[in-house]
Amino acid sequence: MKPSAIAGDPLATSFAHEVRAAAQLNHPHITTVFDHGVFSAYEASQEPSLVGTPWLAMEKVSGGNIRALAGHTHWDTIKTVLLDVLDALGHAHARGLIHRDIKPGNILRDKASGAIKLTDFGLAKSIRQMRVAARKSTMVSGTPGYMSPEQIEGDRQAQGPWSDLYSVGALGWALATGHAPYQGDVTEVLEAHLRGETKQFKPVCPVPRGLEEWLRHAMQTDPMQRFVHAADAAWALHDLADPV
C-alpha cells in the first residue's frame, strides 16, 4: 500500500483508519495486520519518492476476493461465506467497531485453505465516534450496491452493527443471484435502497426456502426491524434447512 502522505488526503486518512481499526482485532476471519510505519529516507534510499509514505504489512491471502463467486457457486459456499463474515463482524462489533463497507471485494478467500477473511477497515468507525458525531453528514461512505439506508442518508447516529448486517444481506443476495439487490446508475441504486423495493429473488442455485425471508429481514429499511446483532443473524441462518 502506498497512499499519499499529503495531509488531508483521503487515501492517507483511510489508511490511518484501517491501521487503527485492524490493530484492535484478532480473529481467524479478519486479515491480520502485523506492522505499519512510514518510509524513512534510509528505507527508501532506492526510491526517494517513497519517503514519508505510509506502509502496512499484513497477512497474505493468496486467493483474492470473492467477486467471482457471485452467481457462480452453491449453497454450502454461500452459507460458509455469510457465517464466517458474521463471525468476523461479531468480533469487530463487540470491540466497538462497525466496518461500513461489506461487499464481495472486501472479502478474501485463501486459495490453499479456503478460509474466508474480511479485510479493508478503511471506512471503519467506532460506535462511540458515531454516537457523538453530528446527526447528519454530507460525507457518504460505502459502496452503493451494498450500503444501508442510514449510510446513504449520512445519518451517523443511526448507524451501528445493524448497518453492517444490512450489507451482509445485500452480499447474500449477490452471491445467490449474481448481482446486488438493486441495479441501475448510482442515483437509482441509492434511491432504491431508501425505498426498500427489491425485485423478485431469483437464485441461480438451490437455496433454503427461508433464505429470501432472511435476506429481506436483514435489508429492512428501518434499522430497528433488522437483526440487531451478528449472532442473531447467524443463528437464524443456521436454522434454515438445507435445500431439497
Side-chain angles (χ1 to χ4, degrees), residues 21-75:
Q24 303 177 49
L25 306 175
N26 181 15
H27 191 274
H29 296 303
I30 297 175
T31 51
T32 303
V33 172
F34 297 116
D35 201 359
H36 71 280
V38 176
F39 281 104
S40 66
Y42 175 78
E43 293 168 326
S45 58
Q46 301 300 312
E47 194 171 345
S49 63
L50 290 179
V51 174
T53 301
W55 58 264
L56 175 66
M58 63 189 300
E59 174 184 10
K60 180 180 179 181
V61 182
S62 61
N65 64 53
I66 65 166
R67 286 195 192 103
L69 290 181
H72 299 282
T73 189
H74 46 77
W75 168 241

Side-chain angles (χ1 to χ4, degrees), residues 97-228:
L97 283 176
I98 49 177
H99 188 283
R100 303 202 308 152
D101 199 18
I102 303 298
K103 61 182 179 181
N106 282 340
I107 300 165
L108 308 180
R109 189 185 193 196
D110 188 78
K111 187 175 182 179
S113 67
I116 298 299
K117 300 277 188 174
L118 179 60
T119 192
D120 195 352
F121 280 77
L123 294 184
K125 291 284 188 183
S126 74
I127 296 172
R128 179 180 176 279
Q129 281 179 312
M130 305 301 277
R131 294 294 173 269
V132 301
R135 181 78 187 181
K136 295 286 185 177
S137 171
T138 56
M139 185 78 170
V140 176
S141 300
T143 300
Y146 300 88
M147 290 171 67
S148 67
E150 57 270 23
Q151 284 177 266
I152 294 168
E153 293 178 327
D155 191 344
R156 294 184 177 182
Q157 293 184 358
Q159 294 177 43
W162 44 86
S163 305
D164 281 344
L165 301 182
Y166 180 99
S167 300
V168 173
L171 168 68
W173 189 289
L175 290 173
T177 66
H179 56 78
Y182 303 108
Q183 303 294 296
D185 62 33
V186 172
T187 299
E188 291 172 338
V189 168
L190 296 180
E191 289 178 348
H193 278 292
L194 295 175
R195 292 193 304 269
E197 298 171 357
T198 52
K199 294 184 178 180
Q200 185 178 0
F201 179 62
K202 295 181 178 179
V204 296
C205 66
V207 298
R209 183 175 298 175
L211 180 62
E212 180 178 0
E213 181 181 355
W214 186 91
L215 295 171
R216 292 188 184 278
H217 183 66
M219 292 190 295
Q220 289 288 321
T221 55
D222 180 355
M224 296 301 99
Q225 298 300 314
R226 299 177 208 147
F227 298 111
V228 177

